Amino acid sequence: MEGSAPAGDAAQGRVKRWLGTKPSRTVLRIAAAVIGAGLIGGGLALIWPKPDPIAAAPPSPDDPASLAPLPERSVMVLLVGLDSDAINDPSNRAAPKGPANADSLMLIRVEAGEALQVLQVPTELAVQLPGREGLQPLARAYREGGVALTADVIAEVVGLPAGEPDRYLVMPRQALRVLVDSLGEVEVSLNQSYNRQDKAQNYTVNLQAGRQTLNGRQAEQLARHRPNPNDDGARRARQQRLVRGIHDQLRQPNAVALLPDVIGEVSAQVSTDLTPSEMLSLAAAALSSTEPPVISQLTLAPRAGQQQLRELKPDQALPLWPPEPNASAGN
């Protein structure tokens, strides 16, 4: 009996550290996330029409809508690119070493007939995380609370309405390689050459300037390349080239017919609450417009000195995204 009190105090201390300085607020946020997840699951049943009981015809190489029924409203997906090679890797084998961090964060808004909308969310954005003293990089939210905490924090930062994002997809490095190789390489245009061996980040990059095709390994090099800790903005620009290259590849002749196999291979490497048929539907909706993707970034305040964390530009009205027509995004 005498040893039970210290043990109880230790347990209460651990709970207090995790909940932070405002435990009631943290508990409410967690409860809202859990309840919201249940409501989202029920609400999404209304997004896609009921499947046709008659067997579907094979997809047409020229008609994305032949892949699957298109969603009946816009769908927002949170894409989390990890710095680990696989979903269940115990270590990311990157820097800083340890469990996986979010290496890239994007909100993707898909609506049939409309241009794909993409918001790049800075992983170096300074945020307050439950149980952590002081500001932390947004990238750490995945390590601390997985995709649920990451989605919750991003929704609060951007000012998304309740229930958004609708779905999530967590993609480790291996999944990116599989995606690009399944598509048969991706074409990009680089404005400079990149040649670097980064032992801290455990990768090597060797890419030449100009228009070229990348295989999965080279696409990973381009997406990961960051020669210094403050190069996040330039790396996001390189990732934009890759996103556009993948979109262009999907619009090539006969690419539509390959998509079921591509999604089948990629889905085995990711963590998501999207079913394969929903992935096909979103891919079809994304390709139903001839317009290129519209890629935005949050407007950040100027970096002070060599600090790695970034702040949002002050006095911005919520929501920060999707942008109003003719609005411009900062970096």
Side-chain angles (χ1 to χ4, degrees):
M1 294 297 293
E2 293 180 357
S4 61
D9 292 343
Q12 291 178 3
R14 286 194 297 270
V15 171
K16 184 176 181 180
R17 286 195 300 272
W18 190 85
L19 293 177
T21 56
K22 298 179 179 180
S24 59
R25 180 181 177 184
T26 302
V27 170
L28 286 174
R29 288 179 64 183
I30 294 171
V34 172
I35 295 171
L39 294 176
I40 291 169
L44 281 173
L46 304 176
I47 294 178
W48 282 275
K50 293 181 179 180
D52 192 329
I54 301 176
S60 167
D62 300 317
D63 183 14
S66 66
L67 284 169
L70 299 179
E72 297 185 334
R73 67 165 176 82
S74 65
V75 181
M76 187 181 297
V77 180
L78 170 62
L79 175 64
V80 181
L82 298 184
D83 59 3
S84 61
D85 198 58
I87 288 290
N88 296 318
D89 278 358
S91 172
N92 55 13
R93 291 177 288 173
K97 294 185 182 298
N101 296 285
D103 211 30
S104 177
L105 291 166
M106 298 182 191
L107 288 173
I108 303 175
R109 185 175 180 271
V110 186
E111 184 169 3
E114 301 291 334
L116 192 70
Q117 295 275 346
V118 180
L119 175 69
Q120 289 183 296
V121 184
T123 56
E124 75 273 24
L125 187 65
V127 295
Q128 183 70 56
L129 298 178
R132 289 287 173 181
E133 296 294 332
L135 296 174
Q136 303 289 325
L138 179 57
R140 194 178 180 93
Y142 185 83
R143 177 183 291 197
E144 298 293 328
V147 71
L149 179 61
T150 305
D152 186 32
V153 174
I154 290 176
E156 185 172 336
V157 167
V158 178
L160 299 178
E164 291 189 348
D166 301 296
R167 292 292 211 228
Y168 71 85
L169 190 147
V170 181
M171 174 178 283
R173 301 197 309 263
Q174 184 181 55
L176 175 61
R177 298 195 301 269
V178 169
L179 171 62
V180 173
D181 288 336
S182 298
L183 292 173
E185 300 186 328
V186 166
E187 193 172 81
V188 297
S189 184
L190 303 180
N191 57 3
Q192 68 178 87
S193 298
Y194 302 102
N195 193 327
R196 177 183 174 84
Q197 182 177 11
D198 192 324
K199 295 182 178 179
Q201 295 287 338
N202 191 33
Y203 78 94
T204 300
V205 57
N206 185 10
L207 299 172
Q208 304 307 310
R211 196 156 189 86
Q212 60 199 281
T213 55
L214 306 181
N215 60 27
R217 181 67 67 179
Q218 292 168 322
E220 179 193 351
Q221 293 173 3
L222 182 65
R224 295 185 65 193
H225 181 54
R226 185 175 61 177
N228 64 72
N230 290 344
D231 193 39
D232 296 278
R235 179 164 70 164
R236 281 192 288 276
R238 291 187 284 273
Q239 291 171 353
Q240 286 186 25
R241 290 190 172 92
L242 185 58
V243 169
R244 292 191 172 99
I246 292 173
H247 184 268
D248 290 345
Q249 184 68 18
L250 288 171
R251 295 204 59 83
Q252 296 301 310
N254 298 319
V256 169
L258 295 175
L259 265 174
D261 289 337
V262 171
I263 287 177
E265 293 188 37
V266 172
S267 61
Q269 310 295 332
V270 302
S271 173
T272 182
D273 57 355
L274 285 162
T275 67
S277 62
E278 290 170 352
M279 290 186 192
L280 278 174
S281 175
L282 292 180
L287 297 175
S288 64
S289 169
T290 59
E291 297 296 321
V294 178
I295 304 179
S296 308
Q297 298 187 52
L298 295 180
T299 305
L300 301 177
R303 177 177 268 123
Q306 293 301 308
Q307 68 175 16
Q308 293 186 24
L309 294 183
R310 300 291 300 273
E311 301 275 355
L312 286 174
K313 184 179 179 180
D315 303 323
Q316 297 184 76
L318 296 178
L320 303 179
W321 185 82
E324 294 293 331
N326 301 322
S328 59
N331 58 6

